């Protein structure tokens, strides 16, 4: 890209390209190499060994920075590798305040890997300023926000929450569900944005990849040192796939949002559906905040069936024909899952019910198919 582009679609299409002056290749080549020839010891063309730097990954990291409006981007082998890189900034005794309905994989890493090493995690309702105030202390080093959350689609006021913690606390927003097309955490006061690029950024359910985007140079230097030292980097093929996916992010998100709106309206009117959790519905408790901080309401929704029986949920999931029963989200195809028996099965029942993850709760990642086919599929599965 020769000129600074102002609008998201243009940035997305051109992000990270123009990386190959040697050949003029319009699309970034897949540099499937681990090492780079040196002219004399230490004298090279900017690349030495692919754990430190690889040109395809460099293009993706540039693209990551551009789409989030950040100064720097880093690409990892998965969203969890990106999260891991961030937590490695901390030392024993340090504390992290997180949202209480955190992504399950982040919760597992925090509690099973890092809590035993002496890092302390507080899981609280970040929408409650008193609870946040009570958890804050001189050992607080990091604030970890998700919005909308998984699978209950809770919405948190990112700007207000970031403003409630001291400047020296690193404010992280996991922007996986919203994507930079819909929500811009760095403009709302966040220091670092995290993505599971596996989901909407790559967008085609064909790669596992992660991202960090940020503006602060010192923090970037520390994160880059961790990335090259610990090695959780994205490979060239995966970087290429994600670069390709990014070019259509805005188009896909528009259709995801439109379809989710139509599917949510259908479900809300269905006699067998008890509740629909979608920030785009005016009845959703986070609707007004979502309207303020998001461009549109996203492609994720959850719903509960009348009577809240596990068997009814399972029956529906076994009967869908176009929608695929699978974990993950954010792909072009619609994916449906049952948190109680799949992603959240390890949570004790009483705790799970108390958290709102009831027996019939079904999560739907609405894809970019034709909405009427998705609605017809749900209609026959609910019959
Ligand atoms: C999937 C996901 C992650 C983890 O990303 P991986 O690419 O699976 O490692 C983190 N946060 C959220 C919100 C996710 O959905």
């Amino acid at each position: 890209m020769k000129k600074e582009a102002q609008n998201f679609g243009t940035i997305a299409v051109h992000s990270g390209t123009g990386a190959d002056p040697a050949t003029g290749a319009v699309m970034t080549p897949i540099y499937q190499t681990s090492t780079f020839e040196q002219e004399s010891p230490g004298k090279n063309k900017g690349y030495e060994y692919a754990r430190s730097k690889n040109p395809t990954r460099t293009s993706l990291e540039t693209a990551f920075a551009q789409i989030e409006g950040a100064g720097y981007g880093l690409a990892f082998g998965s969203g969890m590798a990106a999260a891991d890189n961030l937590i490695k900034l901390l030392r024993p005794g340090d504390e992290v305040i997180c949202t209480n309905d955190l992504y399950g994989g982040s919760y597992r890493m925090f509690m099973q890997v890092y809590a035993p090493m002496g890092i302390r995690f507080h899981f609280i309702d970040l929408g409650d300023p008193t609870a946040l105030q009570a958890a804050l202390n001189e050992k607080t080093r990091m604030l970890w926000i998700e919005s909308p959350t998984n699978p209950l689609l809770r919405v948190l006021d990112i700007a207000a929450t970031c403003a409630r913690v001291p400047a020296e606390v690193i404010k992280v927003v996991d922007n996986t569900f919203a994507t930079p097309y819909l929500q811009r955490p760095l403009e709302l006061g966040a220091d670092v944005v995290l993505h599971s690029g596996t989901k909407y950024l790559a967008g085609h359910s064909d790669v596992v990849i992660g991202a960090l985007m940020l503006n602060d140079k010192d923090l970037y230097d520390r994160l880059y040192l961790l990335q090259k030292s610990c090695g959780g980097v994205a490979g060239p093929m995966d970087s290429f796939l994600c670069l390709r996916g990014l070019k259509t992010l805005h188009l896909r998100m528009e259709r995801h949002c439109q379809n989710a709106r139509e599917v949510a309206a259908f479900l809300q009117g269905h006699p067998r559906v008890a509740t629909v959790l979608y920030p785009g519905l005016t009845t959703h408790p986070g609707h007004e905040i979502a309207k303020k901080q998001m461009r549109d309401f996203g492609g994720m929704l959850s719903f509960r069936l009348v009577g809240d029986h596990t068997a009814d949920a399972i029956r529906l999931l076994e009967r869908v024909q176009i929608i695929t029963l699978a974990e993950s989200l954010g792909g072009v195809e619609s994916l449906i899952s049952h948190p109680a028996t799949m992603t959240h099965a390890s949570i004790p029942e009483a705790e799970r019910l108390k958290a709102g993850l009831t027996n019939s709760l079904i999560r739907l990642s609405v894809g970019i198919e034709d909405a009427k086919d998705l609605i017809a599929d749900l209609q026959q599965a609910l019959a």
Side-chain angles (χ1 to χ4, degrees):
M1 202 160 40
K2 296 188 188 77
K3 246 178 121 199
E4 273 303 297
Q6 295 299 321
N7 297 296
F8 192 92
T10 311
I11 293 171
V13 169
H14 293 274
S15 62
T17 49
D20 204 40
T23 64
V26 170
M27 290 300 154
T28 307
I30 303 162
Y31 285 91
Q32 198 72 51
T33 184
S34 61
T35 191
F36 300 84
E37 186 184 29
Q38 309 194 7
E39 213 175 292
S40 89
K43 198 169 170 210
N44 57 57
K45 297 185 168 70
Y47 295 92
E48 300 166 328
Y49 182 65
R51 171 155 39 73
S52 316
K53 242 170 131 195
N54 172 289
T56 316
R57 194 173 90 229
T58 302
S59 285
L60 178 63
E61 293 181 331
T62 305
F64 279 161
Q66 289 169 342
I67 58 159
E68 274 291 353
Y72 306 94
L74 289 160
F76 296 87
S78 68
M80 290 321 303
D84 178 65
N85 212 73
L86 270 176
I87 298 295
K88 284 188 177 126
L89 291 168
L90 306 177
R91 295 289 171 265
D94 287 351
E95 298 192 5
V96 183
I97 300 177
C98 333
T99 172
N100 56 5
D101 48 357
L102 192 71
Y103 171 70
S106 304
Y107 179 82
R108 181 177 57 202
M109 184 181 78
F110 292 175
M111 295 317 285
Q112 296 194 28
V113 180
Y114 286 107
M117 293 189 193
I119 296 167
R120 193 153 173 232
F121 297 90
H122 300 271
F123 300 94
I124 62 163
D125 175 1
L126 285 177
D128 176 358
T130 328
L132 176 54
Q133 199 53 44
L136 267 173
N137 65 59
E138 72 284 352
K139 292 183 186 148
T140 309
R141 296 284 175 270
M142 200 174 267
L143 174 73
W144 197 286
I145 294 174
E146 273 179 44
S147 184
T149 64
N150 174 40
L152 293 172
L153 284 303
R154 288 209 182 98
V155 175
L156 189 76
D157 189 326
I158 296 172
T161 310
C162 287
R164 286 186 192 114
V165 303
E168 61 274 17
V169 172
I170 300 170
K171 297 156 208 82
V172 178
V173 173
D174 182 335
N175 206 25
T176 300
F177 267 42
T179 81
Y181 180 63
L182 300 180
Q183 178 168 282
R184 319 280 298 172
L186 296 174
E187 293 162 20
L188 299 169
D191 298 306
V192 186
V193 170
L194 165 91
H195 280 275
S196 169
T198 313
K199 318 295 169 53
Y200 289 107
L201 298 190
H204 295 72
S205 304
D206 53 8
V207 63
V208 173
I209 201 158
L212 296 179
M213 296 86 155
L214 70 160
N215 282 318
D216 186 85
K217 172 81 166 75
D218 289 340
L219 191 54
Y220 168 76
D221 288 342
R222 289 164 68 199
L223 289 166
Y224 173 64
L225 176 79
L226 287 166
Q227 185 200 39
K228 77 169 179 190
S229 304
C230 301
V233 296
M237 181 70 197
D238 291 355
S239 296
F240 171 83
L241 286 170
C242 192
L243 267 172
R244 179 153 95 159
L246 282 179
K247 295 184 186 302
T248 54
L249 179 63
H250 54 304
L251 296 179
R252 288 185 285 108
M253 291 318 293
E254 277 169 17
R255 181 64 92 86
H256 282 298
C257 293
Q258 179 57 30
N259 281 358
R261 211 183 331 276
E262 290 181 36
V263 169
F266 160 75
L267 289 170
Q268 213 180 21
H270 197 284
R272 290 201 54 220
V273 175
T275 41
V276 181
L277 306 173
Y278 182 60
L281 296 171
T282 52
T283 49
H284 188 282
H287 179 71
E288 288 305 319
I289 300 170
K291 215 159 90 177
K292 187 179 71 174
Q293 75 186 11
M294 296 173 76
R295 187 201 290 253
D296 203 339
F297 302 102
M300 297 300 300
L301 61 85
S302 294
F303 59 102
R304 299 188 181 94
L305 300 176
V306 170
D308 198 44
H309 300 299
T310 305
D312 290 342
I314 291 176
R315 181 173 175 276
L316 188 158
L317 297 178
E318 286 174 350
R319 285 170 63 112
V320 285
Q321 287 169 8
I322 292 169
I323 302 169
T324 306
L325 171 59
E327 286 182 17
S328 198
L329 60 108
V332 288
E333 70 295 311
S334 294
L335 296 176
I336 200 163
S337 67
H338 184 228
T341 56
M342 295 167 68
T343 46
H344 295 69
S346 59
I347 304 176
E349 189 181 346
E351 211 181 300
R352 173 171 62 75
L353 293 174
K354 203 174 126 227
L357 301 164
T358 58
N359 299 325
S360 72
L361 184 79
I362 291 166
R363 189 189 78 176
L364 183 57
S365 169
V366 183
I368 63 168
E369 300 94 336
D370 286 289
K372 55 177 179 288
D373 292 329
L374 300 177
I375 289 170
D377 195 23
L378 289 165
Q379 177 97 58
Q380 65 79 24
L382 279 163

